[in-house]
Amino acid sequence: MTPFQYQLANYGPKASWQTPSTSDAYAYCQDLTAATYENFSVISWFLPTELHPHFAAIYSYCRWADNLADEASSDAEGLTLLAWWEEQLESCFQQDAHHPVFVALKRTIHEFKIPITPLRNLLIAFRQDQTKKRYANYRELLAYCRNSADPVGRLVLYLGRCYSPDAVVYSDRVSTGLQLANFWQDVRRDYNMGRVYIPAEDFQQFGLSVDDMPKCAQEEAFRELIKYEVRRAQQLLEAGEPVVDYFPSKLKVDVALFVRGGQTILQQIRHQNYDTWQRRPKVSKRVKMGLLMKAWWEIHVRGKKFGLDYHEVVA
């Protein structure tokens, strides 16, 4: 039984449990957040303590939804589980929450005045993963990211109490850039799940066939294709960097870390000559620590606008 299968057995649609207290629900979300691997920690040392439970509640909602989509035994089961999760979301906004994630989320959405739209849009993307496995062009992929990635950045803006139309423009660029970086990091993992996020038109541009991916992944042209996609993600992350300065001082380090985290993944892909089929790039603990401390120094000691030089940390 996988860790998530254990969670599903205890808190899934067929399970029976007592509605936890709000404090117990937040504790559950924080435990789940701490136990789940991500490229960069959702909660860093510099995140204000009072925000820890709220970030954990939002993360747990996203993690559960993602797992319901990815770990289902079939696409049909995934759709059924996601429909159940959306029912829980709707009930939460009607002040009727029983699942530990939604008991915590109910308090968070009330305190930070979070609307249902970004939370619901994430489920649109997860359902799409059950029905759409390939993308014809970059425009289609960006449309997917508008639901799979951009809502996450917008939720963080709400937690920072700095949501505004101007901030959203930069946040969406960062969120989509991070999503693309993750796609190019996980090319083989996604393929093994039956999904190809590299647009078919890009395969054609480099003389490759999406229908013969395991074979063409060994070719130099495939590495050139990944290089092309990495450049796109890098441009989005750079264009979204100003979002950091929309956040209050207490959150700038964490947001800067996520931006630089995506750029570091892209740098790791460059370091292994764009071959993410043979080996999934990872960021070492030393690099993570270096990025975190450098972000803190630049923002809180030097007090400069966001524009950190991270290359010396990842070299």
Side-chain angles (χ1 to χ4, degrees):
M1 180 178 289
T2 68
F4 183 69
Q5 287 172 338
Y6 175 81
Q7 296 288 340
L8 198 61
N10 285 279
Y11 295 108
K14 297 180 180 179
S16 177
W17 68 87
Q18 288 188 335
T19 304
S21 66
T22 301
S23 60
D24 285 346
Y26 275 124
Y28 169 87
C29 292
Q30 290 183 282
D31 288 345
L32 179 62
T33 301
T36 307
Y37 171 82
E38 296 289 346
N39 284 322
F40 286 85
S41 300
V42 175
I43 298 174
S44 85
W45 293 344
F46 298 112
L47 184 71
T49 303
E50 67 270 16
L51 288 177
H52 286 197
H54 301 295
F55 269 79
I58 294 294
Y59 176 80
S60 296
Y61 169 82
C62 299
R63 174 47 48 202
W64 256 85
D66 196 9
N67 286 339
L68 289 171
D70 285 354
E71 298 200 25
S73 61
S74 66
D75 292 338
E77 183 189 34
L79 290 171
T80 299
L81 291 171
L82 288 167
W84 165 73
W85 196 242
E86 187 163 20
E87 289 171 1
Q88 303 303 304
L89 176 64
E90 298 283 353
S91 295
C92 176
F93 272 82
Q94 297 298 321
Q95 302 301 307
D96 182 26
H98 302 283
H99 191 284
V101 169
F102 289 101
V103 171
L105 192 64
K106 183 174 71 170
R107 172 71 64 84
T108 295
I109 61 179
H110 174 75
E111 183 167 338
F112 292 89
K113 297 180 174 58
I114 298 173
I116 197 172
T117 300
L119 296 160
R120 184 187 282 141
N121 286 354
L122 285 167
L123 300 185
I124 293 174
F126 292 133
R127 283 196 294 268
Q128 184 170 322
D129 278 332
Q130 310 306 302
T131 59
K132 186 175 179 66
K133 307 298 184 178
R134 297 183 181 183
Y135 292 82
N137 51 56
Y138 189 52
R139 185 179 296 107
E140 279 191 1
L141 186 61
L142 291 180
Y144 169 81
C145 291
R146 279 196 287 274
N147 289 319
S148 71
D150 295 357
V152 177
R154 297 183 184 202
L155 288 166
V156 175
L157 287 172
Y158 279 110
L159 293 180
R161 303 187 192 277
C162 56
Y163 188 98
S164 72
D166 288 343
V168 163
V169 171
Y170 295 112
S171 173
D172 286 355
R173 292 171 183 170
V174 168
S175 298
T176 294
L178 289 172
Q179 177 77 90
L180 295 181
N182 183 250
F183 285 157
W184 315 147
Q185 177 188 29
D186 284 334
V187 169
R188 187 162 191 167
R189 172 184 174 274
D190 290 332
Y191 178 83
N192 289 339
M193 295 176 65
R195 302 170 188 164
V196 179
Y197 292 103
I198 303 172
E201 69 175 9
D202 296 349
F203 273 91
Q204 295 171 3
Q205 180 178 336
F206 287 85
L208 301 169
S209 171
V210 66
D211 294 321
D212 197 19
M213 192 166 170
K215 180 180 178 180
C216 73
Q218 312 300 322
E219 300 178 19
E220 178 63 27
F222 187 78
R223 288 188 286 276
E224 289 297 316
L225 168 58
I226 298 299
K227 181 178 181 179
Y228 175 73
E229 305 297 359
V230 163
R231 189 180 303 117
R232 279 174 159 171
Q234 181 69 33
Q235 289 170 348
L236 282 166
L237 290 172
E238 290 176 354
E241 283 183 354
V243 73
V244 177
D245 291 319
Y246 283 86
F247 281 87
S249 177
K250 62 185 179 181
L251 283 178
K252 287 184 187 293
V253 170
D254 284 271
V255 177
L257 183 63
F258 275 105
V259 177
R260 288 311 186 204
Q263 293 174 331
T264 301
I265 288 296
L266 298 178
Q267 184 75 349
Q268 298 295 84
I269 293 174
R270 294 186 192 98
H271 284 171
Q272 58 189 64
N273 194 27
Y274 303 97
D275 183 3
T276 58
W277 184 263
Q278 298 297 332
R279 180 164 60 93
R280 182 183 189 270
K282 291 186 177 182
V283 182
S284 69
K285 290 183 179 179
R286 179 184 67 83
V287 169
K288 291 179 182 180
M289 182 62 67
L291 288 169
L292 181 61
M293 298 309 297
K294 191 169 181 64
W296 177 84
W297 175 267
E298 292 283 356
I299 291 171
H300 290 296
V301 177
R302 296 185 62 187
K304 63 185 289 187
K305 290 290 186 179
F306 187 65
L308 315 181
D309 179 9
Y310 69 101
H311 295 284
E312 64 188 67
V313 180
V314 301

